[in-house]
Amino acid sequence: MKIPINLKAGSVDKEEKKEVIIGIDLGTTNSLVAYADGEETIVIRDELGSNALVPSILHFGSEGVIVGDDAREKLISAPQRTIYSVKRLMGKSYADLESLKASVGYNVIDQDTEALVKVEIDGKYYTPVELSAEILKELKVRVEKHLKTTVSKAVITVPAYFNDAQRQATRDAGKLAGLEVLRIVNEPTAASLAYGIGLSKDEEQTIVVYDLGGGTFDISILQIQNGIFEVLATHGDTHLGGDDFDQLIIDYWLSQSGVTTQDLKTNKSLGQEYRTQAEQAKKAISTIGSYDTTIDDKELSIDADTFARLASDLIDKTLNACKLAMNDAKLTNDDIDQVVLVGGSTRMPIVKTAVSGYFGKSANDSLDPDEVVAIGAAIQADILAGNRKDLLLIDITPLSMGIETVGGLMDVIISRNSKVPTRAGRQYTTSVDGQKNLKIAVYQGERDLIEHNRKLGEFILTDIPPMPAGIPKIEIKFILDADGILTVKATELRSNVETQMEIRSAYGISEEDMARMLIDSLQNAESDMKAKALLESINEANNIIMATDRFIAQNKDALTVEQITKINALKEKLQKSTSGDNKDVIEAAMQAMNIYTEPLAHEALDRNIGKALKETKL
Ligand code: ADP
Ligand code: MG
């Protein structure tokens, strides 16, 4: 037991101080830390007490690593040793990042297209996990200075679409920073928590969370009922955010100044100068409506109308995602009680107007859009600390998960939009006599054939005791935890042989890929159904062929030569039909086989019963 001693008062504190669990919004552009103490939520600010945002930027200088505003200043003077947008690299392979590499000032290493990315600074290699850990350390120091005590536990938020690998990378970064990550929470869920606090128990609300940050866009629809926050649907784009609006201004200025994209690439400092000024301009338009500047002796300007015209495509993209989410949740605007704005980019008046217009109600930005996620994370931390037992959180999974079954078919075990945490299972059996091993391949996606879905991993259930085909009872269980990490367990129930794996898919899945998978599944529904029906017929035919072989082997003494010849001929025809792609031909061949063998099977059954009766008589 620990005895709390108050050094100042020189006494033993009677009341043990509760441990603080911090909430962290680890953003692409900015990060924040907050904590709650059961009643109040406090966002930690800088030493001047004004700015809560820590730019997610690192600079590797002669005195080591610096993080935040000071690092931001180095973007122009030392672009190659100043790292930003690390969150985009989390859990990603180089192949995922072709487009990003061209746009950043630092070196992303291309060792092997399949390997996870690294960043090179002065000949040293850093993983995104290590880099994120530096940002987390900075936040940890900030909160420790404020609380005058060490902290070791945290809740960290991630975009709703982060996959297992990205969530795990975030956890690892926490660990590396000396933080035990108690929970990874979806950002929109945290934001809703921030807005949902204080709701009375019997209040029911359906809320849209529109989160446009610096690098990502998320739209989520949440239902709050009896103190439970349930995410009904999510959509988004991991490559759409404030940076893209900055890029519009850069492109506009390039057309004004005659400077080319290539110039900015070769002169990285100039590139960063354009980037910084463009962001300045965007923010100025949000407040005063226009902006003038001079870069490299070129006079540049932009006004609100021009910007609105340039930005309309990007905003339409976000509204389209809203539409998809609403369709997923099967809701209309009348069902929505509130629209909540999250992320610095929602400060753009054109965004607020567009979102309010789309949903037919004024979008709520009564909480600071920069701080809501961190506040929600702190509230979640407070719940975990046991200070608010009345709240629960339920998230959903954006894509179905299942396993490959015979013939390359996808058998869904946890379906799309299921609530997490969740568990689901199904029983399978073997298709070959004496089968010892069973490969379990896990996929994610909406298509009927696994070849069109995304493989998450595979493992082999070994040491199944020899049994005839169809006898083993193999239970496959999917356990999806609150962080969205999947554990797959396979157990042969008769022998209790068991294997399990945690799915750590190595590479990220982009929002575009996710959208493509969903659209493909709709467009190909008919051909998928046909392919699935054909494969099912082939599987059935193969089972009949195996059963026929067994039947002949078991009854060869009682069957006539003609009968055996006829069965073999039918079998051959059936076998041949399975190599074609006509389901009707296969079905006809199966039927012919059944018609001929059914009476023989009955005779065999009678013989066996007769034999059994004789045996009992003896
Ligand atoms: P993230 O969640 O990706 O870390 P934030 O929510 O902190 O991002 O949002 C950062 C983005 O918000 C940046 O692109 C920044 O330019 C933009 N932003 C901040 N303030 C304003 C403003 N007043 N007007 C327009 N954009 C803004
Ligand atoms: Mg954010």
Side-chain angles (χ1 to χ4, degrees):
M1 195 189 134
K2 280 189 192 141
I3 300 169
I5 296 174
N6 187 331
L7 286 179
K8 254 195 208 152
S11 63
V12 176
D13 273 359
K14 290 213 181 67
E15 240 176 72
E16 205 179 326
K17 232 186 175 178
K18 276 220 188 84
E19 187 181 18
V20 174
I21 305 174
I22 56 174
I24 292 176
D25 172 5
L26 182 60
T28 312
T29 320
N30 296 301
S31 298
L32 290 83
V33 59
Y35 72 93
D37 61 3
E39 285 156 24
E40 233 188 328
T41 308
I42 291 122
V43 179
I44 308 296
R45 294 173 197 285
D46 60 13
E47 269 152 11
L48 300 171
S50 61
N51 195 5
L53 299 181
V54 176
S56 305
I57 303 176
L58 306 97
H59 173 72
F60 289 74
S62 46
E63 296 107 60
V65 191
I66 51 174
V67 174
D69 284 314
D70 296 340
R72 189 191 173 100
E73 278 166 21
K74 305 284 182 184
L75 275 175
I76 293 174
S77 61
Q80 290 182 343
R81 283 188 279 127
T82 308
I83 316 297
Y84 61 94
S85 286
V86 171
K87 191 170 172 180
R88 283 187 189 268
L89 308 179
M90 293 291 265
K92 297 272 180 157
S93 70
Y94 181 80
D96 297 326
L97 293 163
E98 272 309 336
S99 62
L100 180 81
K101 201 195 165 211
S103 70
V104 296
Y106 52 87
N107 279 335
V108 179
I109 296 310
D110 178 15
Q111 271 176 324
D112 164 2
T113 40
E114 292 294 292
L116 292 178
V117 286
K118 286 194 182 114
V119 172
E120 188 240 29
I121 304 133
D122 289 343
K124 275 196 184 156
Y125 299 98
Y126 298 88
T127 63
V129 169
E130 289 167 321
L131 298 170
S132 293
E134 292 299 331
I135 299 170
L136 292 173
K137 275 186 210 163
E138 173 72 23
L139 296 170
K140 185 172 180 275
V141 167
R142 258 198 185 209
V143 74
E144 286 176 343
K145 263 194 201 158
H146 175 92
L147 288 171
K148 300 188 180 59
T149 175
T150 56
V151 295
S152 62
K153 289 178 179 166
V155 166
I156 304 180
T157 58
V158 296
Y161 276 122
F162 255 30
N163 67 8
D164 299 340
Q166 293 166 300
R167 283 164 201 265
Q168 192 55 41
T170 307
R171 253 181 196 288
D172 292 346
K175 207 190 238 172
L176 208 56
L179 291 167
E180 184 190 343
V181 181
L182 298 181
R183 184 70 59 86
I184 298 286
V185 179
N186 286 341
E187 286 157 12
T189 304
S192 81
L193 253 189
Y195 272 99
I197 204 75
L199 285 176
S200 62
K201 273 263 175 191
D202 39 47
E203 196 174 345
E204 228 186 278
Q205 284 212 46
T206 307
I207 290 183
V208 167
V209 179
Y210 178 103
D211 180 349
L212 190 59
T216 57
F217 168 64
D218 279 301
I219 170 82
S220 314
I221 301 169
L222 308 132
Q223 196 165 49
I224 303 168
Q225 204 174 6
N226 304 325
I228 297 176
F229 294 72
E230 183 184 342
V231 185
L232 298 180
T234 66
H235 262 279
D237 191 331
T238 50
H239 289 274
L240 176 59
D243 296 348
D244 300 294
F245 290 81
D246 300 347
Q247 190 61 46
L248 293 174
I249 298 177
I250 295 172
D251 292 342
Y252 177 70
W253 281 346
L254 292 185
S255 74
Q256 276 192 339
S257 67
V259 177
T260 65
T261 316
Q262 194 52 45
D263 294 337
L264 300 191
K265 265 186 201 160
T266 38
N267 184 347
K268 287 187 171 166
S269 297
L270 186 66
Q272 286 303 349
E273 178 71 24
Y274 264 85
R275 201 168 296 283
T276 308
Q277 288 292 318
E279 192 190 1
Q280 254 347 91
K282 178 184 67 178
K283 289 184 181 170
I285 289 167
S286 294
T287 49
I288 55 170
S290 67
Y291 189 78
D292 302 293
T293 186
T294 306
I295 303 176
D296 208 21
D297 294 334
K298 300 257 174 13
E299 277 180 27
L300 304 165
S301 67
I302 185 159
D303 61 34
D305 287 345
T306 310
F307 182 61
R309 186 167 47 77
L310 297 174
S312 70
D313 279 357
L314 289 182
I315 291 177
D316 284 350
K317 252 188 173 175
T318 68
L319 297 181
N320 197 43
C322 293
K323 188 170 155 190
L324 294 173
M326 290 290 282
N327 287 347
D328 265 4
K330 300 190 182 66
L331 294 179
T332 65
N333 284 351
D334 289 342
D335 300 315
I336 304 298
D337 297 304
Q338 266 203 74
V339 180
V340 162
L341 297 179
V342 178
S345 297
T346 61
R347 288 226 174 81
M348 289 185 276
I350 46 172
V351 169
K352 187 173 178 180
T353 309
V355 176
S356 301
Y358 182 82
F359 287 101
K361 49 183 65 73
S362 179
N364 192 346
D365 53 2
S366 61
L367 289 177
D368 185 327
D370 287 324
E371 296 180 1
V372 267
V373 170
I375 291 172
I379 292 168
Q380 170 69 73
D382 213 29
I383 296 169
L384 293 175
N387 297 338
R388 305 175 198 228
K389 294 202 174 68
D390 52 329
L391 288 167
L392 261 173
L393 281 179
I394 298 175
D395 280 344
I396 57 151
T397 170
L399 287 174
S400 301
M401 291 182 232
I403 64 164
E404 174 181 3
T405 57
V406 187
L409 283 176
M410 169 91 173
D411 202 16
V412 171
I413 295 189
I414 292 179
S415 57
R416 167 177 161 69
N417 284 350
S418 295
K419 295 166 192 170
V420 293
T422 186
R423 45 174 65 219
R426 193 161 303 156
Q427 274 188 22
Y428 298 88
T429 188
T430 50
S431 53
V432 178
D433 287 336
Q435 189 172 333
K436 278 197 218 144
N437 299 327
L438 184 75
K439 187 180 88 181
I440 292 126
V442 182
Y443 286 83
Q444 188 176 38
E446 307 312 309
R447 300 284 296 274
D448 286 331
L449 303 182
I450 51 104
E451 63 181 286
H452 298 131
N453 289 332
R454 178 171 180 267
K455 190 170 191 171
L456 294 177
E458 69 173 43
F459 66 101
I460 292 170
L461 175 66
T462 52
D463 301 327
I464 303 171
M467 282 180 257
I471 297 299
K473 276 193 189 169
I474 296 161
E475 186 181 61
I476 311 276
K477 250 197 213 149
F478 275 35
I479 302 145
L480 194 59
D481 72 12
D483 294 336
I485 291 169
L486 179 68
T487 304
V488 179
K489 253 189 204 168
T491 317
E492 200 293 298
L493 295 174
R494 294 180 193 278
S495 58
N496 263 330
V497 174
E498 186 177 285
T499 313
Q500 73 172 56
M501 89 177 282
E502 205 168 274
I503 301 289
R504 296 248 178 280
S505 50
Y507 313 123
I509 182 164
S510 70
E511 157 60 13
E512 291 89 68
D513 287 346
M514 185 117 42
R516 202 205 61 235
M517 285 164 86
L518 292 175
I519 291 165
D520 280 357
S521 78
L522 293 175
Q523 284 173 345
N524 296 294
E526 204 189 324
S527 64
D528 274 10
M529 239 157 66
K530 277 198 187 133
K532 184 176 175 179
L534 175 67
L535 277 172
E536 279 172 353
S537 296
I538 294 174
N539 289 344
E540 200 182 334
N542 285 333
N543 284 338
I544 290 180
I545 291 166
M546 264 189 330
T548 309
D549 285 340
R550 265 202 303 273
F551 180 73
I552 294 177
Q554 282 163 3
N555 297 283
K556 54 181 178 296
D557 297 338
L559 293 169
T560 67
V561 176
E562 290 78 44
Q563 283 169 335
I564 291 178
T565 313
K566 175 77 181 170
I567 294 172
N568 278 331
L570 286 168
K571 195 182 92 179
E572 209 163 296
K573 202 165 172 191
L574 180 56
Q575 188 107 53
K576 227 170 141 191
S577 75
T578 61
S579 55
D581 59 4
N582 192 334
K583 179 176 153 273
D584 296 339
V585 173
I586 303 171
E587 306 243 298
M590 284 196 282
Q591 207 182 359
M593 175 68 97
N594 281 339
I595 289 170
Y596 185 73
T597 53
E598 206 182 281
L600 299 179
H602 279 296
E603 280 169 28
L605 200 66
D606 290 345
R607 258 196 319 276
N608 287 341
I609 292 169
K611 207 168 118 198
L613 285 177
K614 246 190 252 164
E615 277 163 6
T616 38
K617 266 184 208 154
L618 278 173

